[in-house]
Amino acid sequence: MIPRELVGTAEVPGGPPLRLVRHGGDFIIMLDRNELMSSRMSGSEKALGTMTCERLRNPGNARLLIGGYGMGFTLRAVLGTLGAGARIVVAELVPGILEWARGPMAHMTADCLDDPRVEVRIEDVGRAIEAGKASYDAILLDVDNGPDGLTRPGNDGLYSARGLASARAALRPGGVLAIWSAGADAAFTRRLKQAGLAVDEVRVRARENGKGPIHTIWFASA
C-alpha cells in the first residue's frame, strides 16, 4: 500500500486549515477527512471550464471570474479554449493554494498563473462578485464541495438568494453562472430558478475517462 504524505497545510480565513497530501504521483487537497479535490479526478473540473466556454456569446473577448484556483484544472481548461482577447480573473482566498501551485505542484500548473490573460487576486470571490456590476460574461464557482459553505461558513452567502442576486448583477446580458458540486441538490436548483435564472443542470463523471463518481454542474443564464 502506498502511504499518504503530508506536503503542507494552508490557513483558510474563517475556516479550518487545508492539507495538501501526496499519494504516489497524485495530489489531494483535504479539509479534515474530506477530499476536496484530487489530481486523479480532474474531469469534472475541466468540464466546468470547457462547458462554460461553450455557452459564451462572445468567447473571443470574454471576461470571466473564476472563484477558487484549486489545482488549476478549470483555469487551464478555460485558457485552452478561449483566444488571446479573453481576460480571466482568478479570486483565490487562500494564499497557500497558490504557493502549492508554484511549489510542489508546479509541474501541473503549466505556467497558467503567468498567462497574460490571467489576473490573480488574493480575495474572497464573494467580494469580487459584489464589486463587479455587469462585468463578467461568466462566473465559475468551485470553492466548496457543493452549494454550502463547507470550506468556510462565510461561503454560505454565495449560494443564498442574496448571493445569487449579486452574481446575476455581476453578469453581462446573457452571462453564465457556473457552479460545481460533488452531488445534486434539488433545493439549490429551485433557488437558482427563483433568482430568475435559466438553469441547465449537467451530470459529469469525475474522471476524464468517463469513470468515477458523478458530479453536478449548474449553468445558470441571466
Side-chain angles (χ1 to χ4, degrees):
M1 180 179 293
I2 301 175
R4 290 188 172 188
E5 172 194 357
L6 177 64
V7 177
T9 60
E11 295 300 320
V12 178
L18 301 176
R19 293 181 294 133
L20 179 64
V21 174
R22 182 186 287 113
H23 184 230
D26 298 314
F27 286 95
I28 305 166
I29 294 179
M30 303 189 67
L31 177 71
D32 296 326
R33 295 185 178 182
N34 296 308
E35 291 190 9
L36 293 183
M37 61 197 71
S38 166
S39 60
R40 193 165 50 91
M41 292 190 284
S42 61
S44 60
E45 282 88 353
K46 292 177 181 177
L48 174 64
T50 56
M51 294 177 76
T52 298
C53 291
E54 290 169 358
R55 289 164 167 78
L56 296 175
R57 289 186 175 181
N58 185 19
N61 295 292
R63 181 172 171 81
L64 279 64
L65 172 63
I66 297 178
Y69 172 80
M71 291 185 175
F73 294 117
T74 297
L75 174 59
R76 292 194 292 279
V78 166
L79 291 172
T81 304
L82 299 181
R87 294 293 180 267
I88 301 102
V89 175
V90 177
E92 174 55 63
L93 182 66
V94 182
I97 292 282
L98 300 174
E99 292 171 6
W100 292 340
R102 297 185 184 278
M105 291 192 289
H107 66 285
M108 292 169 43
T109 303
D111 296 325
C112 67
L113 292 172
D114 298 316
D115 190 291
R117 294 170 290 176
V118 176
E119 176 188 352
V120 180
R121 301 178 185 172
I122 304 296
E123 183 180 19
D124 182 345
V125 69
R127 293 185 180 178
I129 290 172
E130 290 175 359
K133 303 300 182 184
S135 295
Y136 301 106
D137 296 290
I139 297 171
L140 297 78
L141 297 180
D142 183 8
V143 294
D144 293 291
N145 261 12
D148 59 72
L150 174 66
T151 306
R152 58 192 287 269
N155 284 353
D156 281 336
L158 293 171
Y159 316 107
S160 67
R162 179 178 177 181
L164 294 177
S166 181
R168 183 179 180 184
L171 290 170
R172 293 170 175 170
V176 179
L177 171 63
I179 300 174
W180 181 96
S181 175
D185 188 323
F188 183 63
T189 301
R190 290 194 297 271
R191 205 177 309 147
L192 286 167
K193 293 178 179 178
Q194 289 166 358
L197 297 164
V199 182
D200 182 14
E201 186 175 343
V202 179
R203 303 284 191 272
V204 182
R205 287 285 184 180
R207 298 187 184 183
E208 288 187 275
N209 62 5
K211 298 182 179 180
I214 297 175
H215 296 160
T216 297
I217 305 174
W218 289 276
F219 297 98
S221 302

